[in-house]
Each structure stands twice: as structure tokens, then as C-alpha cells.
Amino acid sequence: MNASDSTLPDSRVTSLLIDERERTVTVYALHPTEPTPEGHNASEEIAVHTSVDSLTVTGWSHEPVTAWESTPLPDDAGRIAVALSGPATSVTFHADAAVRRTRRPLRTGAL
């Protein structure tokens, strides 16, 4: 993933959870890291976007998401536009700017 929301070029979005009842979109991403003494060689990022509206999904492919971008909405303070895209993938939505992010270390096989 080559995204504004990620600092590592080899990162990738692994899944997306859309909850229409709670109006949330949760993005799961895998980020490779330098191996630690404990054997962790990656971290999983979980980003929960709340108060989602204007959700549009025009494609979702098995190909990797190559861009994950968030930009402020100029006429709606405190809100952002989010876009996930890649080959045959396009997901866009608006959400609250305050994103709940968590990371956890992982020990993975081949990345």
C-alpha cells in the first residue's frame, strides 16, 4: 500500500468491515517491521472510521489496495474524505476526522 495513512511502502490493506447499522468502516492493514527479539515481524493496524456517510463501493478485488488516503473536507469541519483504491478496487466515504487506531505486533510467515 502506498498510502498517506501509512508510512511503509510494503504495507497493505487486508480487509474492510462495513457496518451499516453503526455507520462505521473498519480498515485492517498489515505493516512489515524489522524483526524483534520476540519474533514479531509485522504489525496489524486497525482504523475505525465513525459517522460514515456517502459510502460508495464500485469495486473490490483480490488485488492489493494500492492507496489509502484521507483528506479533510473543506466545507465540513471535523470530517474527512477517505478513499481506498487499487486494481479493480474503489471504496470512498466521509467520516469523522477522529479515527480510532490501534496496532498490535504480529509474528507472521512470509509477508
Side-chain angles (χ1 to χ4, degrees), residues 74-105:
D75 54 348
D76 198 354
R79 306 270 296 156
I80 57 173
V82 180
L84 296 137
S85 60
T89 296
S90 177
V91 178
T92 60
F93 58 90
H94 297 167
D96 285 344
V99 178
R100 293 191 316 261
R101 291 184 190 268
T102 58
R103 278 198 183 218
R104 66 183 182 121

Side-chain angles (χ1 to χ4, degrees), residues 7-90:
T7 58
L8 299 171
D10 294 330
S11 297
R12 64 183 186 266
V13 170
T14 56
S15 64
L16 188 69
L17 174 64
I18 299 169
D19 185 337
E20 294 178 72
R21 289 176 292 164
E22 295 293 325
R23 295 181 47 222
T24 63
V25 172
T26 305
V27 180
Y28 296 85
L30 186 64
H31 305 288
T33 61
E34 291 296 318
T36 66
E38 296 82 19
H40 299 130
N41 62 347
S43 66
E44 180 182 49
E45 177 182 8
I46 303 165
V48 181
H49 299 276
T50 58
S51 299
V52 170
D53 60 25
S54 302
L55 174 66
T56 304
V57 179
T58 56
W60 186 261
S61 172
H62 66 281
E63 298 292 327
V65 169
T66 54
W68 174 12
E69 300 173 333
S70 301
T71 55
L73 288 170
D75 54 348
D76 198 354
R79 306 270 296 156
I80 57 173
V82 180
L84 296 137
S85 60
T89 296
S90 177

